[in-house]
Amino acid sequence: MSISSAAWWRTAVIYQIYVRSFADGNGDGVGDIAGIRSRLPYLAELGVDAIWITPWYASPMADGGYDVADFRAIAPEFGTLAEAEAMIAEAHEHGLRVILDIVPNHTSDEHAWFRDALASDPDSAERERYWFRPGRGPDGALPPNDWRSVFGGPAWTRLLDDEGVPEDWYLHLFAPEQPDLNWSNPEVHREFEDILRFWFDRGVDGFRIDVAHGLDKHAALPDIGLDEEELLAEPDIADHPHWDRDGVHEIYRDWRRVADSYADSPQGPRVFVAEAWVRTATNRLARYLRPDELHTAFNFDFLKCAWDAAQLRASVDHNLRTLGEVGAAPTWVLSNHDVIRHVTRYGRDTDDIQRPAGTVPTDLTLGTVRARAAALLMLALPGGAYVYQGDELGLAEVEDLPLDSLQDPIWERSGHRVRGRDGCRVPLPWTGDAPALGFGAAAPWLPQPTEWKQQTVEVQTDDPTSMLALYREALRVRRSLPDLAGDELRWQAHGEDVLAFDRGTEFRCVVNLGAEPVEVPADAEVLLASAPLADGVLRSDVAVWLRIRK
Ligand code: GLC
């Protein structure tokens, strides 16, 4: 297979590899690069166009690698730089593009810059790379402002000097082990452009930008002035002092210039995808995708919808319209390493889909039926799509992990009130019924449910009715149909609870989210169905791809 051309990202299906949980090649219970290399044939056969690898850099792993100590080195538990280079080349040989994850909002507290900052004076240039500030109140005992960490608690931690005397505070919008970088400092800009080039020079096709909406902070670091609950609920306020500020766009224009400088390389242009949780129902996301900025962004709006035709239709329309205005390709995503897996979400009552794992009842049979339909819906929409590892196996959230196995910093930071995201990060089941289900030779870093032995890649490969078979077939059909290459979508009237749309000259997707059966037109050819059709009708929660003869 060969790497296809020009604007490949506009329609690409990108498979997310959460490194620690994908495949363990060296038998230490943690996924690694050797594991990824051994499974590249599986991914090529699945039929995806690219892989996105979550951070594999040197890291103390306080936040699963999103606390980077050295962006130019590989974490020893994952492998070496030479192995990373070999993996990139092998992926290309398999026809797979490679996207890495870059984390520009913060570093690890073990990054050389942060260590230097701690060892330097309060007014030093070393400290200017981060946000250090004196506290408020008597003796500076209160944090410099009211900002909260996304993981719970204040967004500030106070330093102690060598004698244990308290001094300045430093900002961390995530864990205390993730100090925020100061993007008003030109040195930070230079450093990250250099990191981009370091990996582009090694053949990487693009970057997923972590917390892309957080880099620019209001210079005065003003209070937000909301109570704790409102602060944590993605506040919908204009001119927010640290989310989605206009200043971030300058950064991405510079990054675009770096990516475009590779346009003439044999491999072609390099691309970006933004992780930007911006206000929904605005055109804020599209601002990141103006022609001289980033190429694509995750569409979390779609992921947050309940299994509800009106919500999904509105989300599709909103994204096609706002992104179309700037000429950007939409992307669709159902799950990732930060959210509850969609088999579980769709198995819950509509009002409960965002509730923390383990707190509400779930019907996994229903969730699985809907997840099959959702896969066909997502893969029929114009633009690109993301598949999170295990989606193709129909894995559900693991809601009952033993408490002493939890590693997500949210668990500690919430005072053991919120379990966090480990339930969607459980290592994949590949083969057999042995303890690690083919993940590796040792017990995995999070225990796998025993019933996953029914959901291994091996079991599903031999079962034409499996989720894996559905994904493989959907990806094969998607690639083979010229009708699915375009940008447009035409809704067909089919009742409130049905999503039906045409693309190209003869493709139609119909998804029945209602209780009433829906008839398939008699002269339509069924290309693919998420469940067997009974007497030419779509039952509740079934999706179908049709060739319509006109
Ligand atoms: C992003 C990542 C998440 C991480 C956070 C802090 O949201 O997807 O896993 O915890 O950024 O880097």
Side-chain angles (χ1 to χ4, degrees), residues 16 18 52 54 63-67 101 103 105-106 150-151 174-175 178 208 210-211 213 275 277 336-338 408-410 421 425:
Q16 180 189 352
Y18 189 72
W52 148 34
T54 55
D63 182 23
Y66 283 93
D67 48 320
D101 211 316
V103 190
N105 183 65
H106 42 263
V150 173
F151 293 157
F174 293 87
Q178 293 167 297
R208 175 254 190 199
D210 189 68
V211 198
H213 57 310
E275 185 218 22
W277 296 84
N336 66 32
H337 66 293
D338 291 329
D408 186 347
I410 290 179
R421 303 160 293 175
R425 300 172 174 182

Short mmCIF file of all heavy atoms in Angstrom, two decimals, residues 16 18 52 54 63-67 101 103 105-106 150-151 174-175 178 208 210-211 213 275 277 336-338 408-410 421 425, ligand 1:
data_model
loop_
_atom_site.label_atom_id
_atom_site.label_comp_id
_atom_site.label_asym_id
_atom_site.label_seq_id
_atom_site.Cartn_x
_atom_site.Cartn_y
_atom_site.Cartn_z
N GLN A 16 -6.85 6.23 17.06
CA GLN A 16 -6.12 6.74 18.22
C GLN A 16 -5.50 5.61 19.02
O GLN A 16 -6.21 4.73 19.53
CB GLN A 16 -7.05 7.54 19.14
CG GLN A 16 -6.29 8.09 20.35
CD GLN A 16 -7.15 8.71 21.42
OE1 GLN A 16 -8.35 8.89 21.23
NE2 GLN A 16 -6.54 9.02 22.54
N TYR A 18 -3.70 4.85 22.40
CA TYR A 18 -3.30 5.28 23.74
C TYR A 18 -2.18 4.31 24.14
O TYR A 18 -2.44 3.16 24.50
CB TYR A 18 -4.50 5.20 24.69
CG TYR A 18 -4.23 5.81 26.05
CD1 TYR A 18 -4.14 7.20 26.19
CD2 TYR A 18 -4.04 5.02 27.17
CE1 TYR A 18 -3.87 7.77 27.43
CE2 TYR A 18 -3.77 5.59 28.41
CZ TYR A 18 -3.70 6.97 28.53
OH TYR A 18 -3.42 7.53 29.75
N TRP A 52 -2.96 8.15 15.37
CA TRP A 52 -2.56 9.24 16.28
C TRP A 52 -2.07 8.54 17.54
O TRP A 52 -2.79 7.76 18.15
CB TRP A 52 -3.73 10.18 16.53
CG TRP A 52 -3.74 10.83 17.90
CD1 TRP A 52 -2.67 11.21 18.66
CD2 TRP A 52 -4.91 11.14 18.69
NE1 TRP A 52 -3.10 11.75 19.87
CE2 TRP A 52 -4.45 11.71 19.90
CE3 TRP A 52 -6.28 10.99 18.47
CZ2 TRP A 52 -5.34 12.13 20.90
CZ3 TRP A 52 -7.16 11.41 19.47
CH2 TRP A 52 -6.69 11.98 20.67
N THR A 54 -0.82 8.88 21.35
CA THR A 54 -0.82 9.79 22.50
C THR A 54 0.63 9.93 23.00
O THR A 54 1.50 9.15 22.61
CB THR A 54 -1.76 9.28 23.60
OG1 THR A 54 -1.38 7.96 23.94
CG2 THR A 54 -3.21 9.29 23.14
N ASP A 63 0.24 12.20 34.55
CA ASP A 63 -1.04 12.28 33.83
C ASP A 63 -0.93 11.44 32.55
O ASP A 63 -1.19 11.93 31.44
CB ASP A 63 -1.39 13.75 33.52
CG ASP A 63 -2.74 13.89 32.82
OD1 ASP A 63 -3.59 12.98 32.96
OD2 ASP A 63 -2.94 14.91 32.13
N GLY A 64 -0.51 10.21 32.71
CA GLY A 64 -0.44 9.28 31.58
C GLY A 64 0.42 9.75 30.42
O GLY A 64 0.15 9.40 29.28
N GLY A 65 1.43 10.58 30.69
CA GLY A 65 2.33 11.04 29.62
C GLY A 65 2.01 12.45 29.14
O GLY A 65 2.78 13.03 28.36
N TYR A 66 0.88 13.01 29.57
CA TYR A 66 0.57 14.41 29.23
C TYR A 66 1.33 15.38 30.15
O TYR A 66 1.01 16.57 30.21
CB TYR A 66 -0.94 14.66 29.27
CG TYR A 66 -1.63 14.09 28.03
CD1 TYR A 66 -2.15 12.82 28.03
CD2 TYR A 66 -1.68 14.82 26.85
CE1 TYR A 66 -2.75 12.29 26.89
CE2 TYR A 66 -2.27 14.31 25.71
CZ TYR A 66 -2.81 13.04 25.73
OH TYR A 66 -3.38 12.53 24.60
N ASP A 67 2.30 14.84 30.84
CA ASP A 67 3.22 15.63 31.65
C ASP A 67 4.61 15.31 31.09
O ASP A 67 5.25 14.36 31.48
CB ASP A 67 3.10 15.25 33.13
CG ASP A 67 3.11 13.75 33.38
OD1 ASP A 67 2.50 12.98 32.60
OD2 ASP A 67 3.78 13.31 34.35
N ASP A 101 1.20 13.56 19.38
CA ASP A 101 0.46 14.43 20.28
C ASP A 101 1.47 15.44 20.82
O ASP A 101 2.53 15.06 21.31
CB ASP A 101 -0.05 13.55 21.44
CG ASP A 101 -1.35 14.02 22.03
OD1 ASP A 101 -1.49 15.22 22.24
OD2 ASP A 101 -2.20 13.16 22.31
N VAL A 103 2.03 18.72 23.49
CA VAL A 103 1.40 19.24 24.71
C VAL A 103 2.01 20.60 25.03
O VAL A 103 2.91 20.72 25.87
CB VAL A 103 1.63 18.25 25.88
CG1 VAL A 103 0.77 18.63 27.09
CG2 VAL A 103 1.33 16.82 25.47
N ASN A 105 0.61 23.39 26.33
CA ASN A 105 0.08 24.23 27.43
C ASN A 105 0.93 24.12 28.68
O ASN A 105 1.00 25.06 29.47
CB ASN A 105 -1.36 23.84 27.75
CG ASN A 105 -1.94 24.74 28.82
OD1 ASN A 105 -2.12 25.94 28.61
ND2 ASN A 105 -2.19 24.18 30.00
N HIS A 106 1.56 22.96 28.86
CA HIS A 106 2.31 22.75 30.10
C HIS A 106 3.43 21.74 29.87
O HIS A 106 3.45 21.06 28.84
CB HIS A 106 1.38 22.23 31.20
CG HIS A 106 0.41 21.18 30.72
ND1 HIS A 106 -0.88 21.48 30.37
CD2 HIS A 106 0.53 19.85 30.51
CE1 HIS A 106 -1.52 20.39 29.98
NE2 HIS A 106 -0.68 19.37 30.05
N VAL A 150 -8.52 21.85 36.19
CA VAL A 150 -9.50 21.00 35.53
C VAL A 150 -9.66 19.68 36.30
O VAL A 150 -10.72 19.07 36.27
CB VAL A 150 -9.04 20.72 34.08
CG1 VAL A 150 -9.95 19.71 33.39
CG2 VAL A 150 -8.99 22.01 33.27
N PHE A 151 -8.62 19.28 36.97
CA PHE A 151 -8.66 18.01 37.71
C PHE A 151 -9.16 18.19 39.15
O PHE A 151 -9.14 17.26 39.95
CB PHE A 151 -7.28 17.36 37.75
CG PHE A 151 -6.77 16.90 36.41
CD1 PHE A 151 -5.41 16.74 36.19
CD2 PHE A 151 -7.65 16.60 35.38
CE1 PHE A 151 -4.93 16.29 34.96
CE2 PHE A 151 -7.19 16.15 34.14
CZ PHE A 151 -5.82 16.01 33.94
N PHE A 174 -3.95 21.97 35.08
CA PHE A 174 -4.23 20.55 35.26
C PHE A 174 -3.58 20.13 36.59
O PHE A 174 -3.73 20.83 37.58
CB PHE A 174 -3.75 19.77 34.02
CG PHE A 174 -4.59 20.14 32.81
CD1 PHE A 174 -4.27 21.22 32.00
CD2 PHE A 174 -5.76 19.43 32.52
CE1 PHE A 174 -5.08 21.58 30.92
CE2 PHE A 174 -6.58 19.78 31.45
CZ PHE A 174 -6.22 20.85 30.65
N ALA A 175 -2.83 19.03 36.61
CA ALA A 175 -2.27 18.58 37.89
C ALA A 175 -1.10 19.48 38.33
O ALA A 175 -0.48 20.15 37.49
CB ALA A 175 -1.79 17.14 37.74
N GLN A 178 1.98 19.50 36.34
CA GLN A 178 1.89 20.01 34.97
C GLN A 178 1.88 21.54 34.96
O GLN A 178 0.85 22.17 34.66
CB GLN A 178 0.62 19.47 34.30
CG GLN A 178 0.65 17.96 34.08
CD GLN A 178 -0.72 17.40 33.71
OE1 GLN A 178 -1.64 17.48 34.51
NE2 GLN A 178 -0.85 16.83 32.54
N ARG A 208 -1.54 16.28 16.88
CA ARG A 208 -2.76 16.59 17.62
C ARG A 208 -2.30 17.55 18.71
O ARG A 208 -1.32 17.29 19.42
CB ARG A 208 -3.34 15.30 18.19
CG ARG A 208 -4.57 15.50 19.09
CD ARG A 208 -4.21 15.29 20.52
NE ARG A 208 -5.39 15.24 21.40
CZ ARG A 208 -5.33 15.43 22.71
NH1 ARG A 208 -4.17 15.65 23.29
NH2 ARG A 208 -6.42 15.38 23.44
N ASP A 210 -2.71 19.24 22.11
CA ASP A 210 -3.37 19.08 23.40
C ASP A 210 -3.77 20.45 23.97
O ASP A 210 -2.96 21.39 23.95
CB ASP A 210 -2.37 18.39 24.34
CG ASP A 210 -3.00 17.97 25.65
OD1 ASP A 210 -3.85 17.07 25.63
OD2 ASP A 210 -2.64 18.54 26.70
N VAL A 211 -4.99 20.54 24.48
CA VAL A 211 -5.47 21.78 25.10
C VAL A 211 -5.13 23.00 24.23
O VAL A 211 -4.62 24.01 24.72
CB VAL A 211 -4.90 21.96 26.52
CG1 VAL A 211 -5.72 22.98 27.31
CG2 VAL A 211 -4.85 20.66 27.31
N HIS A 213 -6.76 25.29 23.15
CA HIS A 213 -7.48 26.53 23.46
C HIS A 213 -6.99 27.18 24.75
O HIS A 213 -7.57 28.17 25.20
CB HIS A 213 -8.98 26.23 23.60
CG HIS A 213 -9.29 25.19 24.65
ND1 HIS A 213 -8.65 23.97 24.69
CD2 HIS A 213 -10.14 25.20 25.69
CE1 HIS A 213 -9.12 23.28 25.73
NE2 HIS A 213 -10.01 24.00 26.35
N GLU A 275 -7.21 19.91 19.75
CA GLU A 275 -8.12 19.54 20.82
C GLU A 275 -8.52 20.85 21.49
O GLU A 275 -7.76 21.41 22.27
CB GLU A 275 -7.43 18.63 21.86
CG GLU A 275 -8.43 18.16 22.91
CD GLU A 275 -7.89 18.08 24.34
OE1 GLU A 275 -6.89 18.77 24.65
OE2 GLU A 275 -8.48 17.38 25.15
N TRP A 277 -11.68 22.57 23.45
CA TRP A 277 -13.03 22.50 24.02
C TRP A 277 -13.54 23.93 24.07
O TRP A 277 -13.36 24.61 25.08
CB TRP A 277 -13.00 21.86 25.41
CG TRP A 277 -12.55 20.44 25.42
CD1 TRP A 277 -11.26 20.00 25.44
CD2 TRP A 277 -13.37 19.24 25.42
NE1 TRP A 277 -11.23 18.61 25.46
CE2 TRP A 277 -12.50 18.13 25.46
CE3 TRP A 277 -14.75 19.02 25.41
CZ2 TRP A 277 -12.97 16.81 25.47
CZ3 TRP A 277 -15.22 17.72 25.43
CH2 TRP A 277 -14.33 16.63 25.45
N ASN A 336 -12.76 8.86 23.11
CA ASN A 336 -11.31 9.02 23.20
C ASN A 336 -10.88 8.66 24.62
O ASN A 336 -11.69 8.16 25.41
CB ASN A 336 -10.87 10.43 22.78
CG ASN A 336 -11.37 11.52 23.72
OD1 ASN A 336 -11.51 11.30 24.93
ND2 ASN A 336 -11.62 12.70 23.20
N HIS A 337 -9.62 8.91 24.94
CA HIS A 337 -9.07 8.46 26.23
C HIS A 337 -9.51 9.33 27.40
O HIS A 337 -9.06 9.10 28.52
CB HIS A 337 -7.55 8.45 26.13
CG HIS A 337 -6.99 9.83 25.96
ND1 HIS A 337 -7.19 10.59 24.84
CD2 HIS A 337 -6.28 10.62 26.79
CE1 HIS A 337 -6.63 11.77 24.97
NE2 HIS A 337 -6.06 11.82 26.16
N ASP A 338 -10.35 10.34 27.14
CA ASP A 338 -10.79 11.24 28.22
C ASP A 338 -12.27 11.10 28.55
O ASP A 338 -12.74 11.74 29.49
CB ASP A 338 -10.56 12.71 27.81
CG ASP A 338 -9.09 13.08 27.76
OD1 ASP A 338 -8.29 12.51 28.52
OD2 ASP A 338 -8.75 13.94 26.93
N ASP A 408 -5.62 7.72 37.29
CA ASP A 408 -5.93 9.05 36.78
C ASP A 408 -5.80 10.07 37.92
O ASP A 408 -6.39 9.87 38.98
CB ASP A 408 -7.36 9.05 36.23
CG ASP A 408 -7.72 10.37 35.55
OD1 ASP A 408 -6.99 11.36 35.73
OD2 ASP A 408 -8.74 10.39 34.86
N PRO A 409 -5.07 11.18 37.69
CA PRO A 409 -4.93 12.18 38.77
C PRO A 409 -6.27 12.73 39.26
O PRO A 409 -6.36 13.23 40.39
CB PRO A 409 -4.08 13.28 38.14
CG PRO A 409 -4.00 13.00 36.68
CD PRO A 409 -4.31 11.54 36.50
N ILE A 410 -7.30 12.60 38.45
CA ILE A 410 -8.62 13.10 38.87
C ILE A 410 -9.07 12.38 40.15
O ILE A 410 -9.71 12.98 41.02
CB ILE A 410 -9.67 12.90 37.74
CG1 ILE A 410 -9.37 13.85 36.59
CG2 ILE A 410 -11.09 13.09 38.26
CD1 ILE A 410 -10.31 13.72 35.41
N ARG A 421 -10.69 8.76 34.44
CA ARG A 421 -10.77 8.25 33.07
C ARG A 421 -10.14 6.89 32.85
O ARG A 421 -10.00 6.46 31.71
CB ARG A 421 -10.12 9.30 32.15
CG ARG A 421 -10.76 10.67 32.26
CD ARG A 421 -9.85 11.79 31.75
NE ARG A 421 -8.68 11.93 32.62
CZ ARG A 421 -7.67 12.76 32.37
NH1 ARG A 421 -7.69 13.51 31.30
NH2 ARG A 421 -6.65 12.84 33.20
N ARG A 425 -9.42 3.34 29.53
CA ARG A 425 -8.00 3.16 29.19
C ARG A 425 -7.50 1.76 29.49
O ARG A 425 -6.28 1.52 29.53
CB ARG A 425 -7.16 4.17 29.97
CG ARG A 425 -7.53 5.61 29.67
CD ARG A 425 -6.82 6.60 30.58
NE ARG A 425 -7.11 7.96 30.15
CZ ARG A 425 -6.61 9.05 30.73
NH1 ARG A 425 -5.83 8.93 31.79
NH2 ARG A 425 -6.91 10.24 30.27
C1 GLC B 1 -5.98 16.78 27.24
C2 GLC B 1 -5.72 15.29 27.22
C3 GLC B 1 -5.91 14.74 28.58
C4 GLC B 1 -4.93 15.42 29.52
C5 GLC B 1 -5.06 16.93 29.46
C6 GLC B 1 -3.89 17.62 30.09
O1 GLC B 1 -7.29 17.09 27.54
O2 GLC B 1 -6.52 14.68 26.25
O3 GLC B 1 -5.75 13.35 28.63
O4 GLC B 1 -5.15 15.00 30.83
O5 GLC B 1 -5.10 17.39 28.15
O6 GLC B 1 -2.75 17.50 29.30
#
